[in-house]
Every structure is written in C-alpha cells, then in structure tokens.
C-alpha cells in the first residue's frame, strides 16, 4: 500500500503515515457516545478517514516513466506522470490538518467535561453526607445515595471509554499532522521539477 517504486519518497511516507492514522481515525469515532465534545473527535475521524482515503484509494502513481527532454533543459522529470496523485495531495493535507485539530480539541473538551462532571458528583455526594450527619435527610431524600451510586458507575464507565479514546485521538492527531506535512512536501517535489522543465522549454535558445 505504501511501497511503490514509482512514488516520490515523501508521497510514499505520506501513504504509510495515512495507513497508520486510518486505524486510529476509525477508533476515535466511538468518542461520539462519550460526551458532546466527542462529536468533534467523530468529525475529526471522519475527515481524517476521507483525507487518508484520497491517498490510499484509487492509488495512482506519483512518479512514472522518466520523460526525456531537449538538451539544455531541466533533468528528466517524473512529475507529469504523477498529476493524478498530485491533485489529491493538497486536499488530503488540508483534511488531515483539520482532523488533527479536531482530535486535539475534542480530547481537551472531553477531559474538561469529565472533570466538571466529577466535580458536580462530588458536591452532590458531600451534600448528602452533610444532611445525613445533621439529621435532616428524609427517607425520600435517601434516594440521593442511590442516584449518586448510579452516577458514579456511569462516570467510571465513561472514564473507561474516555481514556483510550483520548489516547487514540492524540496518536491520530500526530500521525495526521505528519501525513499532511509529507503530502505538502510530496506535492512540492512533484510540481517543482515540472515547473523547471516548463521554464527550460520556454527559455529562448541563444543563436548560433
């Protein structure tokens, strides 16, 4: 998938990073069920999946057969044969950069929401204990202990889901950022030789 002798080295690296990121992008989509902030990670995973799919699916060659040019022109270039992949590198880079940002932001917001939920649960639990110690807790009010126990179980379940989701999101963000960087480098590598070749062909020859 990421080993193609015709690929520019940076494009090949982008494909390998994208293949690694794809697994984590899919895993981060489960974060949508944890907190509302998990929706950001879900969108990030979706955009990242689309971005990496541009590299891995319908895989065109970024290199190709060398092109022989006239004497005095730029060195032979493989850029023209790689126009198809070159057109997908920039969109893939943009999508992966956006996905990386959403994964980081979603992870931070999820952690903040979880911290606020823990704090709210702690306040409610202490209030029950204070009322019980003061003898003001009615029989009906004893239900707060059952509610707090249920909330504690829910918070623990969310924590079990949250920790791996956040870890997956940060790993995905790192791979996405690296993949996007390699995409831009690969695009430059493909296009610059072509520009140099065009300029050499258009350069007027000296008489003689």
């Amino acid at each position: 998938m990421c080993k193609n002798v015709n690929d520019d080295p940076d494009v090949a690296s982008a494909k390998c990073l994208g293949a690694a990121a794809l697994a984590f992008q899919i895993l981060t989509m489960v974060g949508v069920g944890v907190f509302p902030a998990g929706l950001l990670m879900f969108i990030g995973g979706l955009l990242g999946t689309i971005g990496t799919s541009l590299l891995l699916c319908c895989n065109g060659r970024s290199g190709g057969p060398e092109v022989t040019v006239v004497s005095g022109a730029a060195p032979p270039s493989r850029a023209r044969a790689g126009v198809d992949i070159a057109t997908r590198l920039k969109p893939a880079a943009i999508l992966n950069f956006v996905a990386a940002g959403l994964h980081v932001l979603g992870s931070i917001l999820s952690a903040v929401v979880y911290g606020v939920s823990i704090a709210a649960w702690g306040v409610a639990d202490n209030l029950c204990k204070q009322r019980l110690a003061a003898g003001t807790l009615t029989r009906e009010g004893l239900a707060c202990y059952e509610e707090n126990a249920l909330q504690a179980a829910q918070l623990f379940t969310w924590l079990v889901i949250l920790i791996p989701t956040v870890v997956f999101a940060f790993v995905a963000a790192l791979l996405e950022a690296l993949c996007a960087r390699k995409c831009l480098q690969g695009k430059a590598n493909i296009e610059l030789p072509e520009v140099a070749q065009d300029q050499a062909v258009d350069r007027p020859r000296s008489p003689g």
Side-chain angles (χ1 to χ4, degrees):
M1 184 178 297
C2 58
K3 296 295 183 180
N4 188 332
V5 295
N6 294 306
D7 278 336
D8 175 85
D10 286 320
V11 175
S13 296
K15 291 180 179 180
C16 291
L17 289 167
L22 183 60
F24 291 98
Q25 290 163 347
I26 294 173
L27 289 172
T28 57
M29 292 187 189
V30 302
V32 68
V34 181
F35 296 112
L39 179 62
L40 293 177
M41 289 190 285
F42 176 83
I43 297 174
L46 182 61
L47 293 179
T49 299
I50 296 173
T52 53
S53 296
L54 290 175
L55 297 174
L56 304 177
C57 298
C58 304
N59 188 13
R61 295 183 300 178
S62 62
E66 293 187 349
V67 179
T68 303
V69 296
V70 298
S71 176
S77 172
R78 297 183 301 172
R80 295 187 183 279
V83 172
D84 56 343
I85 186 67
T87 58
R88 300 200 301 268
L89 289 173
K90 188 173 182 179
I94 293 173
L95 288 171
N96 274 286
F97 270 133
V98 173
L102 290 175
H103 276 137
V104 172
L105 181 60
S107 298
I108 294 174
L109 289 179
S110 294
V112 169
V113 172
Y114 185 82
V116 171
S117 300
I118 287 289
W121 174 84
V123 170
D125 187 61
N126 287 332
L127 181 60
C128 282
K129 292 179 179 178
Q130 291 174 3
R131 292 174 63 187
L132 180 62
T136 58
L137 192 62
T138 63
R139 177 176 297 181
E140 292 79 8
L142 289 173
C144 73
Y145 277 106
E146 297 179 359
E147 293 176 359
N148 283 349
L150 178 61
Q151 291 176 359
Q154 291 175 342
L155 288 172
F156 178 76
T157 302
W158 290 347
L159 182 63
V160 171
I161 300 175
L162 178 65
I163 290 177
T165 301
V166 169
V167 171
F168 293 152
F170 274 107
V171 174
L174 176 61
L175 292 173
E176 287 160 350
L178 293 174
C179 177
R181 182 171 176 268
K182 287 295 183 180
C183 283
L184 296 179
Q185 290 177 340
K187 181 175 176 61
N189 293 342
I190 293 173
E191 292 182 343
L192 286 179
E194 183 178 14
V195 172
Q197 178 179 321
D198 291 340
Q199 292 175 347
V201 172
D202 295 338
R203 186 184 303 125
R205 298 182 183 180
S206 58

